[in-house]
Amino acid sequence: MPFTFSEIIVLFFTYSVIGWIWETIYCSIKDHHYDYRGFLFGPYCPVYGFAVTTILICTYRIQNNLFLLYIVGVIVATIFEYFASVFLQYVFHMKLWDYSHLWGNIQGRVAPIISLFWGIGVVFLVKVIQPFVQKLITWEEIKTHGYLALIIVIVMGTDFILTIFSVEKLHMSTKSWNERLNTRMKLDEGKLMETLSWNQKRFLTSFPQLKFTDTKKFNQFKNRWIKKRRES
């Protein structure tokens, strides 16, 4: 095993934060407004943490072979992206991204062009970023003796639980609104959005492709609301 258990936790946290920074900057530039990315409340994207940590462990013995490193990176990143999409859809009834418009996509969850891009990212990560990150983590382990890992588990665990409650509350609200829309009852869209928490509004604005799989009418309403916000 190339890393201790506490090192794995800190690696996971570090790359979750790096992934959040990358997504926030990239999506904010692309969408022309600030996007607070990430599924959880805090500034981290666990899917990056899980993927990168797994890649680092799986590629430990082949990191000097750029071709194998690229191939393994593509495979692992694609698997993570696919199952993250499945998890969000069947556990939270949500879709945060959709590659249906891209060639060779599988159920809109993954697509070849995206996977090939992840492979390049993995090579850059392992050869350029990881050596610097590993030095910091080695220094941190000596100084904190693993206590930082414990703090990370407590903070992110609490965040995950709070996020589940927030998303479930949003889902229940959207189902209620969807039922009213289906019966053609008039809704005050402005007042509806005022009932949402900051985090729930963030989901709708930062993930414009977000869909609840069981609330078709609400998805249409959400798209109109986002369009109005961008035009104002």
Side-chain angles (χ1 to χ4, degrees):
M1 191 70 174
F3 308 105
T4 65
F5 184 66
S6 60
E7 280 182 318
I8 289 174
I9 293 174
V10 178
L11 272 173
F12 161 75
F13 175 77
T14 301
Y15 283 109
S16 294
V17 172
I18 291 174
W20 178 87
I21 293 172
W22 152 252
E23 274 217 4
T24 297
I25 294 174
Y26 172 76
C27 292
S28 294
I29 293 174
K30 179 174 66 72
D31 298 335
H32 305 292
H33 64 80
Y34 176 67
D35 276 339
Y36 187 98
R37 302 294 291 185
F39 182 69
L40 303 180
F41 283 96
Y44 31 67
C45 293
V47 66
Y48 284 95
F50 279 119
V52 172
T53 303
T54 301
I55 287 168
L56 290 174
I57 294 173
C58 292
T59 62
Y60 181 69
R61 297 184 183 281
I62 61 168
Q63 289 182 2
N64 290 326
N65 187 320
L66 291 181
F67 177 74
L68 285 178
L69 179 60
Y70 177 82
I71 296 300
V72 172
V74 168
I75 293 171
V76 174
T78 301
I79 290 173
F80 263 93
E81 189 168 37
Y82 181 87
F83 282 103
S85 174
V86 171
F87 175 79
L88 288 171
Q89 180 175 343
Y90 289 100
V91 176
F92 295 109
H93 307 283
M94 299 172 68
K95 291 183 71 175
L96 296 186
W97 61 87
D98 187 355
Y99 300 143
S100 298
H101 61 291
L102 297 178
W103 175 85
N105 75 86
I106 301 177
Q107 301 172 351
R109 305 182 192 280
V110 295
I113 187 65
I114 302 297
S115 296
L116 294 174
F117 171 78
W118 289 135
I120 296 172
V122 167
V123 173
F124 179 79
L125 169 91
V126 171
K127 305 305 288 187
V128 179
I129 299 177
Q130 175 56 18
F132 174 72
V133 170
Q134 187 58 50
K135 288 180 180 179
L136 290 178
I137 291 178
T138 300
W139 175 84
E140 172 274 323
E141 285 286 297
I142 295 173
K143 294 295 183 180
T144 71
H145 305 289
Y147 285 108
L148 178 59
L150 178 61
I151 294 172
I152 289 171
V153 170
I154 293 172
V155 170
M156 295 192 74
T158 302
D159 193 338
F160 181 73
I161 293 171
L162 293 174
T163 299
I164 289 176
F165 283 119
S166 180
V167 171
E168 186 57 29
K169 184 178 179 181
L170 173 61
H171 183 217
M172 295 303 294
S173 296
T174 59
K175 288 181 70 174
S176 174
W177 299 346
N178 196 70
E179 290 173 4
R180 293 181 65 183
L181 289 166
N182 281 330
T183 57
R184 300 190 177 182
M185 293 179 65
K186 187 175 180 180
L187 294 174
D188 187 328
E189 296 182 0
K191 289 184 177 180
L192 282 177
M193 300 314 295
E194 288 176 4
T195 65
L196 297 181
S197 67
W198 168 82
N199 195 52
Q200 292 164 345
K201 289 179 182 177
R202 177 180 69 85
F203 274 124
L204 299 182
T205 55
S206 295
F207 298 98
Q209 295 187 34
L210 181 151
K211 298 176 183 177
F212 284 98
T213 57
D214 53 359
T215 58
K216 182 178 179 180
K217 289 288 186 180
F218 172 77
N219 292 332
Q220 296 171 354
F221 154 71
K222 184 252 324 176
N223 290 336
R224 290 197 304 273
W225 179 75
I226 291 176
K227 184 178 180 180
K228 287 181 180 178
R229 280 179 58 91
R230 288 179 174 176
E231 290 175 349
S232 61

